[in-house]
Amino acid sequence: MEVIINEVVLEARHVQRWKFHDRSRTLPRVPIVLTVTEDENQWWRFECCLIEGGMHCIRCTEWSGFVGPRINARLTLYAQQDGENFHRMKVIMRD
């Protein structure tokens, strides 16, 4: 069973950063690099850190490049599953 960290409809403001609550409570409280895949054919590495109010933030050059062409898409970020050293995400493009 996949555990959802958070979901968002990507907007232009998310190009710089995405602030979110970790609903799964699986992300560490220290800065990390999330290795993320959508379909195991393409991989990204996003910098993630804990910020004010117990929220996390993803922001880095690779994140900006990822979000730009996906504005208006629904992004779901999942927690790591047992034995995996990466996170999965699902991107649904919308009109």
Side-chain angles (χ1 to χ4, degrees):
M1 179 173 114
E2 293 182 309
V3 176
I4 295 174
I5 291 176
N6 208 298
E7 297 176 289
V8 66
V9 174
L10 295 171
E11 301 174 8
R13 65 186 172 99
H14 293 121
V15 170
Q16 294 303 314
R17 67 181 179 175
W18 175 30
K19 293 182 351 180
F20 62 94
H21 286 286
D22 175 13
R23 294 188 297 191
S24 69
R25 298 184 180 175
T26 60
L27 293 176
R29 300 184 63 80
V30 296
I32 61 168
V33 174
L34 294 177
T35 300
V36 181
T37 184
E38 182 178 2
D39 57 11
E40 295 189 31
N41 290 320
Q42 196 166 12
W43 299 82
W44 296 272
R45 293 175 58 81
F46 302 138
E47 297 168 16
C48 180
C49 62
L50 186 67
I51 59 173
E52 76 281 344
M55 295 183 76
H56 283 80
C57 181
I58 294 178
R59 63 176 170 220
C60 60
T61 303
E62 194 159 1
W63 173 252
S64 297
F66 171 82
V67 172
R70 293 171 178 84
I71 299 295
N72 295 323
R74 174 170 291 284
L75 169 72
T76 305
L77 179 62
Y78 297 94
Q80 291 179 341
Q81 294 187 31
D82 289 341
E84 294 180 338
N85 62 352
F86 57 90
H87 291 75
R88 295 182 188 276
M89 68 182 158
K90 182 177 183 180
V91 178
I92 299 174
M93 299 302 289
R94 301 164 41 151
D95 294 331

